[in-house]
Structure formats: C-alpha cells, structure tokens
Amino acid sequence: MDERGFRNASLDSRPSSEASATKVLLVGDSFVFGAANHFDDIWPELLANRFKQEGLDVEVINAGVPGFDTSQQVLYLERLFETYQPDIVLLTFLPNDLFANRPIQNVDGQDQARGDARAVVQTGGSKKSSFQSVTLLKRMMMGTDAAYRRLYLMTPRKAFFENPPSEKMETKADTTKDILMRAKQFTSQHGADFVVLSVPQLFQVLQKASGEVVPDVNPDLPDQMFEEFSSENEIDWIATLPVLAQNYVENKAELYYRFDGHLNAEGNRVVADIAYDALEPLVSNYSN
C-alpha cells in the first residue's frame, strides 16, 4: 500500500503525467482494496494487466478503502477527482451498502457521511459482517452450500433479499439512489463516465446457482431495485451475479472465502473479466 493508502504496485505516489493514458478510478470497499488476497490476485490489478495485454493505454487507480459505504466512496471520489482527473469512475456496490448508507449532510459547510469521510484512508469505514462472526460449530456447518444458505437466512441479512422488500429496505434504496445520483451528476459535470459494478455476497451466488426457489427470498433483488433507476438516469449498472453464479454451476470452483466472505483468487478473476468487458468500450472511445 502506498503513502496515499492506495493498493497499487505500478503507480507511484504522484498523479500520472502520461497525458495519453485513459484513467480509470476505482472506488469501493475491501472488495476493491482486495482484502484477504495477494496483490497479484486482486481484480483491479488483473484488470490493469488485461488492459496492458490488450494494448490499451490505461491507468487503473485502486482507491478502495475497507469498510467504506457508498456515501463515503462518493465523497472520496469527489476529493480525489481534481488530483487524478479520471476519465472513468467505477464505483463498486454491495448489498450491505444499503443498510450502511446514510444521507450525505452538509455540516458547517462541509459535506459529511457516516463516519466522517474526511478521514478517508486513515480511518476506513464501519461496515461489519456479523454473519462471518459465528461459533466453531456454525463454521463447521458452513462447509456445504445448503447449510451456508440456511444459516444466512437465519441472520438479519436476509432482509437484503426479502421479497417484497420491507419499507426500511425501500427507504434505504432511495437513500442509495440519491447518493448515486450525486456521483452521476458530479462525474458528468466533470466530463467523466460513471459506472457501478454490483458485486454480490456469497449467499446470492450459492442461492442463484442452486436453482432452489425460496418463496420470500430473491437473490437478484438488490440489482432489480436499481435497474430501472439506473436506466432512467443513464448509469451503467453492471450486475456480476449472473456470471458468478453461472461460473459456479459450470466449474464447481469456489469463488469466495467461506469464512470472511471476500472474493478469492478465482472470484477476483471472474470479476476482473466482467469489469474489463464493461469498461473496454468506454476506454476505446477515449483511445480513438
């Protein structure tokens, strides 16, 4: 990790002076930072390498901060924008952002989110996963997909996927939409493209891959709640769940670490490919 808190190897501490490079700023939480993975295995680094292999002059800036929710990520990108002048901003969304997000408020002339994003890299955020903090017995039971799914649905996180969504879920979704609109308007005003990469939790992948229908549970619900909104507001919403679930069905290879919920090396590879396919047309526009 460099002195700015960015997890980059090929990028030094100064903004790039290479005017020809298309700059892609990645903002997100530990899934962007690459927690629990070797640097060479994280999807932002795989993405940067893929652009290089394809002969595209792209600078990928990994500004993921473990624990950051969407409101903190948006304030962070606003703080970084002037320095790095990205052409494309990719924000990573996870379902637990819904319950962590709070409206961005103006306090004494300063925009602030929950946790006060002025402390950005140094303090991180406050998102926690109570599901991974389980007893040894539960950890043993989580070895099978069916047991994992059953245990997950016994936790408060079931609310992310309850169909129809609760009033609280609808309210949280509206808050998140307001935050995303702020990011869209900011990037548009500064001439940059804005993309949201939606990364599911392990439960969603296992549930969708199983094909089992649970009457009041829909693993696709978070993406479905934002599809129409994103289309209406010209936000590129990239749902990775279908590809991850299909990959799991076909290859039977683990994509996540079961006991901390982060993508493993294989999961990072799949997400990197999805991100490349989503960004390549935008990058090509800048290259032409």
Side-chain angles (χ1 to χ4, degrees), residues 8 66 77 79 84 120 131 138 143 207 211 243 246 260 272:
N8 291 286
L77 84 84
R79 288 171 170 78
Y84 298 101
V120 289
F131 180 59
K138 287 183 178 179
Q207 187 65 38
V243 177
Q246 187 62 33
D260 81 351

Side-chain angles (χ1 to χ4, degrees), residues 181-276:
M181 274 305 302
R182 174 175 173 137
K184 171 63 177 178
Q185 292 168 356
F186 178 87
T187 51
S188 294
Q189 290 168 2
H190 289 78
D193 289 301
F194 180 60
V195 178
V196 178
L197 188 74
S198 174
V199 179
Q201 296 186 340
L202 170 57
F203 164 78
Q204 294 170 267
V205 174
L206 297 181
Q207 187 65 38
K208 191 172 181 68
S210 74
E212 178 186 4
V213 177
V214 179
D216 62 341
V217 172
N218 178 6
D220 291 291
L221 182 61
D223 287 321
Q224 291 175 357
M225 294 181 74
F226 288 92
E227 284 176 350
E228 183 177 356
F229 158 81
S230 298
S231 177
E232 290 175 350
N233 292 284
E234 299 182 335
I235 295 174
D236 290 332
W237 184 274
I238 311 301
T240 62
L241 174 57
V243 177
L244 286 164
Q246 187 62 33
N247 182 279
Y248 188 66
V249 169
E250 293 176 352
N251 299 322
K252 305 299 182 185
E254 294 288 346
L255 300 170
Y256 291 72
Y257 293 112
R258 296 255 169 165
F259 301 135
D260 81 351
H262 287 102
L263 294 166
N264 62 16
E266 180 63 17
N268 273 280
R269 184 193 64 77
V270 176
V271 171
D273 287 343
I274 298 170
Y276 176 84

Side-chain angles (χ1 to χ4, degrees), residues 65-82:
V65 181
F68 263 21
D69 58 36
T70 312
S71 58
Q72 291 169 307
Q73 292 164 24
V74 171
L75 289 182
Y76 195 25
L77 84 84
E78 291 177 5
R79 288 171 170 78
L80 295 175
F81 200 97
E82 183 176 357

Side-chain angles (χ1 to χ4, degrees), residues 90-107:
L90 185 149
L91 180 147
T92 302
F93 170 86
L94 280 87
N96 55 340
D97 290 326
L98 283 168
F99 275 40
N101 288 336
R102 299 291 189 276
I104 296 175
Q105 298 180 339
N106 189 279
V107 180

